[in-house]
Amino acid sequence: MTQGECAKRIIVVLGMHRSGTSVTMNLLNAFGVPLSDDLMDPTEHNARGYFESTTIFRLHDEIFEAMGTTWMTSSLVIPLAKNRWRTARVQTLKAELSGIVQRELEKHDGLWGFKDPRTARLLPLWLELIEELGLDPRFVLATRNPSDVAKSLFSRDGIDPIDAEILWLEHNADVVLNLRGRLDAIVDYSVWMNDPVEQARYMLERLHLDWEGTAEDIKRITSDVIAADLRHHDSAVSSFKLPFTAPFYRALLNRDLTKLYSLSEAFNAARGFAEAVLAPSRRELQRQIIDQLSPVIQARGERIVDLEAQLAKRNG
């Protein structure tokens, strides 16, 4: 697939962790979207692979560290400063990301895709980068039942289900609010399991990809990529803890952008009010959350070191 004289196109898969961003990126790659060479190796949590750049993953974690937080820390606990994108350290890391994007687009003839769930919370920085480079972006939001996400996050990271639900809302609402009318497609994990051909056809059409395969080709590719072993947690009955969650997830399933904007704005207002209420005791909350997350952060750091070692060995 070549873009000729068109603007260079970047395909970005967004979504909360454990929401099917990997299977979505895997499918896009199978449909002809080039990815980076430094993809993470499979693990017990993603046996088929993450389809995610190790370098971008590392830079994203460094950006969160520079802002004094982590991807798994709710803004209700540590609100992000409005000028967080303007610090010298974050701008340096952004320049590194910009260099990666330019090299990948040059290598792949003007079309390249990437995913990292952290991108959902770093969208203002990425939108600024995309505008500066004059790119033609396409955005896919990968969603999943929040109950299943919470079970998966508890199994992988030990995150409390209520905290996971808050993070699920924050990731999805931030995508909707930051993108507004630029969200091209919404895909759901359960639909990949139950009706993959129709959802793949929808995604290809919405992204305006120059893919010339047949309906049978779509069926073959989705059958190759999606298998029963991807269904790790699948709730027959959802049990949500927060009032926003059920209507928000329903709006995602219906791809009702008007409702999503309304719910996202309401959630954001509630979040701002909660931050103000929590302000007097924020320091103690920060201390508690840091104590809780320290073992997880250390484990993730060790994983980054291991991934970098694997990458260095692979590159010889």
Side-chain angles (χ1 to χ4, degrees), residues 1-9 31-34 105-112 208-212:
M1 239 182 319
T2 63
Q3 299 302 303
E5 297 301 316
C6 297
K8 292 179 179 179
R9 181 173 298 179
F31 286 120
V33 176
L105 286 168
E106 183 68 25
K107 183 192 304 180
H108 298 296
D109 198 23
L111 175 67
W112 170 70
H208 302 288
L209 292 174
D210 301 326
W211 191 74
E212 299 177 354

Side-chain angles (χ1 to χ4, degrees), residues 10-45:
I10 179 173
I11 309 293
V12 186
V13 175
L14 302 159
M16 174 61 182
H17 296 251
R18 315 307 294 165
S19 291
T21 57
S22 296
V23 67
T24 302
M25 196 78 258
N26 188 0
L27 281 165
L28 283 168
N29 184 228
F31 286 120
V33 176
L35 308 182
S36 301
D37 295 329
D38 65 332
L39 298 182
M40 291 183 184
D41 290 330
T43 69
E44 61 179 308
H45 301 292

Side-chain angles (χ1 to χ4, degrees), residues 21-289:
T21 57
S22 296
V23 67
T24 302
M25 196 78 258
N26 188 0
L27 281 165
L28 283 168
N29 184 228
F31 286 120
V33 176
L35 308 182
S36 301
D37 295 329
D38 65 332
L39 298 182
M40 291 183 184
D41 290 330
T43 69
E44 61 179 308
H45 301 292
N46 266 35
R48 289 175 173 260
Y50 289 84
F51 300 89
E52 183 174 318
S53 163
T54 303
T55 307
I56 292 176
F57 157 79
R58 176 182 58 79
L59 288 171
H60 280 175
D61 264 0
E62 288 188 38
I63 290 170
F64 277 113
E65 182 181 358
M67 296 190 299
T69 186
T70 72
W71 73 261
M72 65 179 77
T73 307
S74 168
S75 62
L76 296 179
V77 177
I78 303 180
L80 298 175
K82 291 183 178 180
N83 65 349
R84 59 191 180 277
W85 315 112
R86 297 286 167 247
T87 66
R89 178 57 179 157
V90 171
Q91 287 297 304
T92 296
L93 294 167
K94 174 190 159 189
E96 290 189 46
L97 288 173
S98 181
I100 291 171
V101 172
Q102 293 178 78
R103 288 192 296 274
E104 293 291 352
L105 286 168
E106 183 68 25
K107 183 192 304 180
H108 298 296
D109 198 23
L111 175 67
W112 170 70
F114 87 95
K115 52 101 12 180
D116 177 4
R118 294 159 188 76
T119 314
R121 301 191 72 186
L122 299 175
L123 258 180
L125 181 143
W126 271 100
L127 290 174
E128 185 177 87
L129 184 159
I130 287 168
E131 183 177 357
E132 289 171 356
L133 295 179
L135 306 180
D136 176 21
R138 293 288 185 271
F139 297 101
V140 183
L141 175 58
T143 69
R144 188 182 184 185
N145 186 312
S147 295
D148 295 333
V149 170
K151 290 175 186 176
S152 187
L153 283 174
F154 182 78
S155 174
R156 190 188 74 174
D157 297 315
I159 296 177
D160 181 86
I162 294 179
D163 293 337
E165 197 168 314
I166 291 172
L167 287 169
W168 183 92
L169 281 165
E170 289 191 340
H171 279 69
N172 287 284
D174 285 350
V175 168
V176 172
L177 290 172
N178 280 299
L179 289 183
R180 293 289 172 175
R182 292 193 280 180
L183 179 55
D184 296 286
I186 300 173
V187 297
D188 186 77
Y189 190 85
S190 65
V191 182
W192 284 135
M193 300 300 113
N194 300 318
D195 193 7
V197 174
E198 185 55 38
Q199 184 158 261
R201 184 183 292 112
Y202 154 82
M203 182 173 67
L204 290 169
E205 290 175 355
R206 293 290 299 173
L207 296 179
H208 302 288
L209 292 174
D210 301 326
W211 191 74
E212 299 177 354
T214 65
E216 283 303 311
D217 292 327
I218 294 178
K219 184 176 181 180
R220 174 182 52 79
I221 289 171
T222 55
S223 208
D224 287 344
V225 169
I226 300 168
D229 62 341
L230 290 173
R231 194 186 292 273
H232 305 297
H233 297 282
D234 187 18
S235 297
V237 178
S238 299
S239 177
F240 304 139
K241 311 296 183 184
L242 304 172
F244 281 104
T245 309
F248 202 106
Y249 185 51
R250 190 159 51 247
L252 285 169
L253 287 174
N254 293 331
R255 298 169 182 153
D256 186 343
L257 293 180
T258 301
K259 188 70 171 176
L260 283 171
Y261 297 147
S262 174
L263 288 168
S264 296
E265 288 174 347
F267 172 73
N268 201 42
R271 176 168 52 175
F273 177 75
E275 288 176 5
V277 171
L278 289 172
S281 58
R282 184 171 295 149
R283 182 168 299 175
E284 176 62 18
L285 285 168
Q286 289 178 359
R287 186 192 64 75
Q288 292 176 10
I289 199 71

Side-chain angles (χ1 to χ4, degrees), residues 283-301:
R283 182 168 299 175
E284 176 62 18
L285 285 168
Q286 289 178 359
R287 186 192 64 75
Q288 292 176 10
I289 199 71
I290 289 170
D291 288 346
Q292 292 172 7
L293 291 179
S294 288
V296 177
I297 294 170
Q298 181 179 352
R300 301 288 283 185

